[in-house]
Amino acid sequence: MPRTCLIVDFGGVLTTSLDDAVRGFEAREGLPEGAVEHGWYRNPAMVALTHDLERGRATQSDWNRHMGRALGIDSTDLLGRIFADSRLDDSMVAVLARARACGLKTGLLSNSMGLAPWNMYRGFDIDTAFDAAFVSGQHGLRKPDPAAYRLLLTMLEVPGGDCVFVDDNAENLPPAEALGMATVLHRGAEHSTTRLGELLGAALTPEPGPAFTPVL
């Protein structure tokens, strides 16, 4: 039986590739390719600080200062500069809008990175797009903590077995699967749209014309 609820991540699913944005930043700053990965994901102190930021226990200013030191560059609005090339993926935003137009419930399950000075969600009306939204910093929880997934299901008032979850990070999928959700590892709009159509039993290919009204 088709599922009736679509849950999506934000950065890297409803936006263009975050990895591509990082590479663009490295080029602009004159950093070697891989510098951000080395200074961020391969640095235990930065990983821990990122987790604190996602849970709302640290500020972007804290993160920017430490990451700037790790990279040896100016820390001013560093997170915003790293992801300056990130944009909404119109194809995936249209899929989300089409799912809701088909009568499916929609939910957001997103690890936030603080909201100031850089706001990943700026220009997107979360309240209009989703029946319920989990933004990690507002709840003190982050993916892949199973409690984050359970909380969103409670907010949506649906069981996991009704849901399909889309994320671009494979590490975030197992907790969803443990709750009965079907999962899609996002690697591009075309593949995800096809797979979601199969799982949700709905025609999600967007129709011509704008799928949403941005909030500027």
Side-chain angles (χ1 to χ4, degrees):
M1 178 177 294
R3 312 266 175 152
T4 58
C5 180
L6 172 60
I7 299 173
V8 298
D9 178 33
F10 193 86
V13 173
L14 294 185
T15 74
T16 53
S17 168
L18 300 183
D19 289 338
D20 288 349
V22 167
R23 285 191 287 269
F25 164 77
E26 289 171 339
R28 288 192 302 275
E29 293 286 334
L31 296 169
E33 186 172 334
V36 171
E37 178 181 2
H38 180 78
W40 184 350
Y41 303 113
R42 299 184 183 277
N43 180 337
M46 281 307 304
V47 169
L49 181 57
T50 300
H51 292 178
D52 282 344
L53 177 60
E54 291 171 333
R55 293 187 179 102
R57 299 174 184 169
T59 67
Q60 254 187 50
S61 296
D62 295 331
W63 193 95
N64 288 339
R65 183 172 63 256
H66 285 86
M67 188 63 178
R69 188 178 304 134
L71 294 175
I73 61 174
D74 177 23
S75 66
T76 304
D77 191 22
L78 182 53
L79 197 58
R81 284 161 43 214
I82 289 174
F83 293 117
D85 291 344
S86 177
R87 298 288 184 272
L88 287 172
D89 184 332
D90 291 338
S91 295
M92 287 303 297
V93 171
V95 166
L96 179 68
R98 181 63 178 160
R100 199 156 195 205
C102 290
L104 302 175
K105 278 196 170 184
T106 55
L108 175 69
L109 186 57
S110 174
N111 281 350
S112 60
M113 296 285 287
L115 301 177
W118 178 66
N119 183 348
M120 174 168 58
Y121 313 103
R122 184 175 292 124
F124 187 86
D125 190 345
I126 289 177
D127 292 335
T128 297
F130 298 103
D131 292 289
F134 173 94
V135 175
S136 65
Q138 296 174 355
H139 298 282
L141 296 167
R142 62 178 294 278
K143 296 176 294 185
D145 185 336
Y149 302 72
R150 291 195 296 267
L151 177 56
L152 179 60
L153 291 178
T154 298
M155 294 163 66
L156 286 165
E157 300 182 326
V158 296
D162 284 359
C163 303
V164 180
F165 175 52
V166 187
D167 201 294
D168 62 326
N169 185 346
E171 293 182 358
N172 292 331
L173 301 184
E177 293 163 355
L179 291 168
M181 299 185 206
T183 59
V184 176
L185 180 60
H186 183 72
R187 288 294 180 263
E190 184 175 355
H191 169 265
S192 291
T193 301
T194 299
R195 188 71 183 115
L196 287 172
E198 296 168 353
L199 292 166
L200 295 167
L204 297 180
T205 302
E207 297 174 350
F212 77 107
T213 301
V215 177
L216 301 176

